[in-house]
Amino acid sequence: MSAPQGWTPYRVGPDLAGLVLFETAGRPQARLLTPDGVLGEPRPLPTGTEGMQVAANLVVAAYERDGARRIAALRLPALEPVWDVAHPVGGYPYYVEDCAPMVCVTDSDRVWVLDPADGAARWQGQVGGSYALAPGVLVSNVNERPRYGVLRDTVTGRVLLRLADWSVIEHDGRSVLLAYVGDDRTWFGAAEPAGSGRPRVLGVGGPTLDRCWADTRGTADAGLVVCQALLGGLDVYRYTR
């Protein structure tokens, strides 16, 4: 490959299905490079496209036409055009993210959730920052309460669970794993995205830097949480569901 380009991974489930190449020499275009090295035919992107992202099995490209900002989408793996809509964000910076099964467009405080079928905004909100936790589950923050998180249904925006003082570690495929740090200890908990009430406490560990990761490959009955220890190194905890 000799032309200037960027690339982004294209996954089907957990598996890498290829790389989407974004070529910038001349008219911008995209093409798919499969894991075994087969290079697909180039597909044109709108003139003025400055970048692209893979989200919800689409290549999503932002561009400007006649002074108006727009978003165009091409469906993978064939890269055929499926929709072209007005960009919902009024100013920069913004980010296009995969929040399966939807497409999320965010700026610093707001999120617009687009339907991958037609690009229509299904809901929007002032969320103080957000990210996809698991398929169908979005984590958003509350600006005036830094440690107060909210789990939302990605498709509808409905609040599933409010997490006062707990921080989200990860989704382990069944439950949302949580942590709370205070008094030189770390409390670990779990919650069901569609549940109600307070999270259930799994156990108590040593102080951490509030940076933990979960082993999402755990068994049906147990899993691992790894935390960065306050005094260096890693603390590994086993939990049972």
Side-chain angles (χ1 to χ4, degrees), residues 8 10 36 39 47 59 67 78-79 86 108 112 132 141 150 154 163 165 174 176 204 208 213-214 236:
T8 187
Y10 163 48
D36 55 359
L39 187 62
T47 300
V59 169
L79 291 172
S108 58
W112 291 259
N141 301 319
V150 177
T154 307
L163 303 172
D165 297 324
R174 296 178 59 184
V176 181
V204 181
T208 71
W213 303 265
V236 181

Side-chain angles (χ1 to χ4, degrees), residues 127-147:
V127 296
S130 63
Y131 64 91
L133 178 65
V137 181
L138 198 69
V139 177
S140 61
N141 301 319
V142 177
N143 283 335
E144 60 270 20
R145 298 185 64 178
R147 291 184 59 86

Side-chain angles (χ1 to χ4, degrees), residues 52-149:
M52 66 174 195
Q53 184 56 270
V54 174
N57 208 37
L58 301 171
V59 169
V60 183
Y63 71 103
E64 187 171 307
R65 185 176 69 197
D66 298 330
R69 297 169 60 201
R70 302 188 64 82
I71 297 180
L74 291 75
R75 191 173 309 281
L76 287 160
L79 291 172
E80 73 268 21
V82 288
W83 46 260
D84 189 320
V85 299
H87 202 299
V89 182
Y92 290 93
Y94 65 88
Y95 306 92
V96 177
E97 299 172 317
D98 188 2
C99 56
M102 310 294 275
V103 177
C104 285
V105 180
T106 64
D107 61 13
S108 58
D109 290 319
R110 298 188 65 86
V111 62
W112 291 259
V113 179
L114 310 186
D115 191 320
D118 57 10
R122 296 307 176 199
W123 65 275
Q124 59 176 289
Q126 187 91 20
V127 296
S130 63
Y131 64 91
L133 178 65
V137 181
L138 198 69
V139 177
S140 61
N141 301 319
V142 177
N143 283 335
E144 60 270 20
R145 298 185 64 178
R147 291 184 59 86
Y148 193 103

Side-chain angles (χ1 to χ4, degrees), residues 159-179:
V159 173
L160 300 173
L161 190 64
R162 300 181 186 275
L163 303 172
D165 297 324
W166 290 92
S167 59
V168 175
I169 297 175
E170 207 163 350
H171 192 283
D172 70 353
R174 296 178 59 184
S175 302
V176 181
L177 301 178
L178 308 164

